[in-house]
Amino acid sequence: MSDSVLDFALRAPKAELHMHIEGSLEPELAFALAQRNGIDFPFASVDALRAAYDFSNLQSFLDLYYACADVLRTEQDFHDLMLAYLRRAHADGVVRAEVMFDPQTHTARGIPMQVVFDGFLAGIAAGEKEYGISTGLILCFLRHLSEDECLATLEEAKPFMQHVLAFGLDSSEVGHPPSKFVRLYAACRALGKPVVAHAGEEGPPAFITEALDLLKVNRIDHGVRSVDDPAVLERVARERVPLTVCPLSNVRLCVFDDMRQHSLPKLLAAGACVTINSDDPAYFGGYLGDNIRAVQAAFNFDRTVWYQLARNSIDASFASTADKARWLATLDASLCAPGAASDSNGPLDE
Ligand code: HPA
Ligand code: ZN
């Protein structure tokens, strides 16, 4: 019965490694914050805003995403946004969240870096206390800006380095290759932090190669277009480069026509270290659990696949070795939990 496979997938302890906190801003919260901050929000209602979530590509989404982020003004706003996400993530079995944020989206509007960090850190502390969820911040640079602007942002963020888990690169991929940010990434790595980058979402497989060779990334965000070049796919699998795949995002942004066309099964068949993530859950049809449900509806994976996906997410996280061992032990125990062996849909039952 694939229902129990789905239950297992939803309940299994797992890490979410690719989620933009600004992309978890639900329309209801956006309206509440606009009202709280006295902002004249350019949408008539929550329904009117939701109706605008009809994207043809990445840029059509980003335009709305940056416009909505304007309601985030105070430390309390950033706190509320973070805590709302962590509540949802916890409900989907997330024990570790590595959360992306775009400081330039806020500092460009005159919001001090300190306000952004203080708000997010307060939300993370509350999430840890209420849900026991372990959270780290991935500071992302906007790749449509110049490398010098990104280097200036890195300088501005230096006083907060103890609160930064890793660095990332997001926004418009086409026209902004990884090769544009070689100096920036060298400076980030010199700080002793891991680095990730979006590559191979809308951009070609060559951008994945650039991110690996020039930016020396530890993970690739998306990477779903690696299947377009067998040599890139083979390399990603051989080197066990984690790919933070976001299925609902890829369908909503028309990277694939529908879920059944998604490259996920090909990535798994090639032996790639795939993880499942929600990207911008408020805009793309849901949180991690919704992504899992949509993938299962399309591909009906067995429990070994879901076990491997959860295991990959923990292995690929930047958490401590001790934390990873603890979560992996819980994951292994969940395989043997009552009910877990009651379906005949996976080799683990044999
Ligand atoms: N791709 C690139 N940049 C982003 C995304 C995405 O899916 N979401 C937020 N910033
Ligand atoms: Zn993303």
Side-chain angles (χ1 to χ4, degrees):
M1 279 182 302
S2 96
D3 264 7
S4 81
V5 174
L6 184 58
D7 285 347
F8 170 76
L10 292 170
R11 281 198 329 266
K14 56 188 94 67
E16 178 152 56
L17 307 178
H18 183 167
M19 198 290 305
H20 305 262
I21 192 67
E22 294 88 352
S24 70
L25 178 61
E26 293 286 345
E28 291 78 6
L29 183 58
F31 267 85
L33 297 186
Q35 195 166 33
R36 185 157 94 189
N37 293 324
I39 297 166
D40 194 12
F41 201 46
F43 293 93
S45 65
V46 165
D47 286 344
L49 176 52
R50 236 184 253 285
Y53 292 1
D54 183 20
F55 310 117
S56 50
N57 55 24
L58 175 58
Q59 193 60 52
S60 63
F61 152 70
L62 290 171
D63 292 343
L64 186 64
Y65 163 90
Y66 294 128
C68 289
D70 186 41
V71 302
L72 297 163
R73 300 279 174 100
T74 67
E75 190 180 319
Q76 185 72 44
D77 300 342
F78 291 98
H79 162 278
D80 293 355
L81 182 66
M82 181 63 75
L83 189 55
Y85 162 69
L86 293 175
R87 184 179 305 123
R88 293 296 304 260
H90 173 68
D92 289 334
V94 174
V95 293
R96 168 76 173 175
E98 301 192 350
V99 172
M100 297 171 170
F101 74 113
D102 294 335
Q104 290 159 308
T105 298
H106 312 300
T107 54
R109 300 181 288 116
I111 312 293
M113 189 75 84
Q114 180 96 46
V115 167
V116 178
F117 270 97
D118 285 351
F120 284 150
L121 292 171
I124 287 171
E128 169 98 55
K129 185 157 174 262
E130 287 188 34
Y131 309 116
I133 191 164
S134 161
T135 305
L137 286 173
I138 302 179
L139 189 162
C140 287
F141 297 99
L142 301 180
R143 69 202 299 160
H144 66 270
L145 300 178
S146 71
E147 185 177 44
D148 282 342
E149 286 170 290
C150 295
L151 282 162
T153 297
L154 178 59
E155 269 317 302
E156 209 183 331
K158 287 245 169 101
F160 307 97
M161 272 310 112
Q162 77 269 32
H163 304 301
V164 172
L165 173 71
F167 293 97
L169 187 65
D170 61 8
S171 191
S172 323
E173 185 179 9
V174 173
H176 303 283
S179 56
K180 185 177 156 186
F181 297 100
V182 172
R183 283 184 303 137
L184 175 68
Y185 267 62
C188 292
R189 292 195 317 272
L191 293 168
K193 310 274 185 193
V195 291
V196 301
H198 284 54
E201 177 185 15
E202 284 188 342
F207 282 17
I208 297 171
T209 304
E210 278 191 15
L212 291 171
D213 292 340
L214 303 181
L215 306 187
K216 304 189 191 313
V217 296
N218 302 82
R219 301 192 297 242
I220 293 281
D221 295 315
H222 294 294
V224 292
R225 291 199 54 201
S226 54
V227 297
D228 295 348
D229 184 334
V232 173
L233 181 58
E234 189 273 332
R235 176 186 179 181
V236 157
R238 180 170 31 84
E239 295 182 5
R240 295 288 296 160
V241 179
L243 304 180
T244 63
V245 171
C246 305
L248 282 174
S249 163
N250 295 148
V251 174
R252 286 297 179 102
L253 297 186
C254 309
V255 174
F256 300 102
D257 290 342
D258 63 62
M259 194 60 84
R260 283 169 199 273
Q261 309 301 316
H262 199 286
S263 61
L264 181 56
K266 285 186 197 139
L267 295 170
L268 289 169
C273 179
V274 175
T275 68
I276 303 284
N277 306 272
S278 66
D279 208 5
D280 298 282
Y283 293 88
F284 297 152
Y287 291 77
L288 189 50
D290 301 296
N291 275 269
I292 290 170
R293 281 184 205 93
V295 165
Q296 187 62 352
F299 300 118
N300 196 27
F301 289 146
D302 67 29
R303 198 137 34 87
T304 52
V305 174
W306 287 112
Y307 171 81
Q308 191 62 52
L309 288 164
R311 189 172 183 98
N312 289 349
S313 73
I314 293 169
D315 277 339
S317 77
F318 299 135
S320 70
T321 309
D323 279 344
K324 288 186 189 189
R326 195 161 42 83
W327 296 322
L328 288 172
T330 318
L331 173 62
D332 285 350
S334 76
L335 266 181
C336 310
S342 64
D343 69 276
S344 56
N345 211 14
L348 289 168
D349 298 330
E350 289 162 16

